[in-house]
Amino acid sequence: MRADAVQRREAIIGHARHVFAARGGDVALEAVAAASGVGIATLYRNFPSRDDLIRAVIEDMVREILAIVAEARAAAAKDPAEAWKGLLARLMEMELGALTDGLVLQAGAGTDAAGASPLVQIQQPALDALEELLTILKRTNAVRASITAPGVIVAVATITRPQAPAIRDAAPGVPGELAEAYLLWSSAG
């Protein structure tokens, strides 16, 4: 694939993440195309179906989580508590809560012979990497022994879930406060 085509495809995925976060996974693909600055035909040339685009968005999120976990793993060698804090901060920035509602229902339809949905299959490498990091953090007592990778992702998605504008305006700092409470609760100390 040509460099400009790769850049265009990546731009579509990035814009789709933001559009899905803001408007849900069932938003018209014309809105994604418009946000990406491409025509609907270009979007469909890159992603023949909504499921293809959603899969690409989820794969992009998994790559980002893998990178964040790798950075935290490197930081854990120096300061495990700060690595844990940095990991949560970076995950909070990913719009997981906003994306979860729109994408889980779309990508989770159907299962394979083992009973795993396509979403579970796609996200498994990120969960495995996060679980390995948590094992390291547990050995250093930076997090409680009961913390699990799926639990971390669900907690971050719950904390970052979009609120109605009136609620968000009345208490804009609540997601940060919840993240801090989760950070303290999940710490072993």
Side-chain angles (χ1 to χ4, degrees):
M1 192 178 278
R2 291 186 345 233
D4 61 332
V6 170
Q7 289 175 336
R8 185 172 29 258
R9 181 179 170 82
E10 293 302 316
I12 293 169
I13 292 169
H15 286 97
R17 276 181 67 168
H18 295 295
V19 171
F20 290 156
R23 298 172 60 186
D26 60 351
V27 67
L29 292 184
E30 288 82 1
V32 173
S36 304
V38 301
I40 193 70
T42 299
L43 186 139
Y44 277 114
R45 270 194 303 280
N46 284 274
F47 305 99
S49 71
R50 175 182 297 278
D51 287 344
D52 291 326
L53 179 58
I54 288 173
R55 182 180 189 93
V57 167
I58 293 170
E59 288 170 346
D60 186 58
M61 291 170 55
V62 166
R63 280 190 296 277
E64 186 173 346
I65 291 170
L66 286 169
I68 290 169
V69 169
E71 289 172 15
R73 190 172 183 150
K78 294 178 186 168
D79 188 340
E82 278 301 309
W84 172 236
K85 186 175 180 178
L87 172 78
L88 286 180
R90 294 280 310 277
L91 290 174
M92 292 278 296
E93 295 169 358
M94 286 188 60
E95 300 179 296
L96 292 176
L99 286 164
T100 301
D101 285 346
L103 300 183
V104 169
L105 296 176
Q106 298 284 326
T111 58
D112 68 5
S117 74
L119 177 61
V120 170
Q121 294 169 13
I122 294 169
Q123 72 182 1
Q124 196 60 51
L127 290 172
D128 292 344
L130 181 54
E131 199 64 62
E132 289 173 15
L133 172 62
L134 290 173
T135 298
I136 293 167
L137 295 176
K138 288 173 188 179
R139 270 192 248 129
T140 62
N141 292 318
V143 299
R144 294 184 185 276
S146 61
I147 300 293
T148 64
V152 170
I153 298 299
V154 169
V156 170
T158 301
I159 292 168
T160 60
R161 189 178 174 125
Q163 298 298 317
I167 294 171
R168 188 176 54 245
D169 292 345
V174 169
E177 292 170 13
L178 290 172
E180 187 67 28
Y182 181 70
L183 181 67
L184 294 174
W185 175 84
S186 59
S187 297

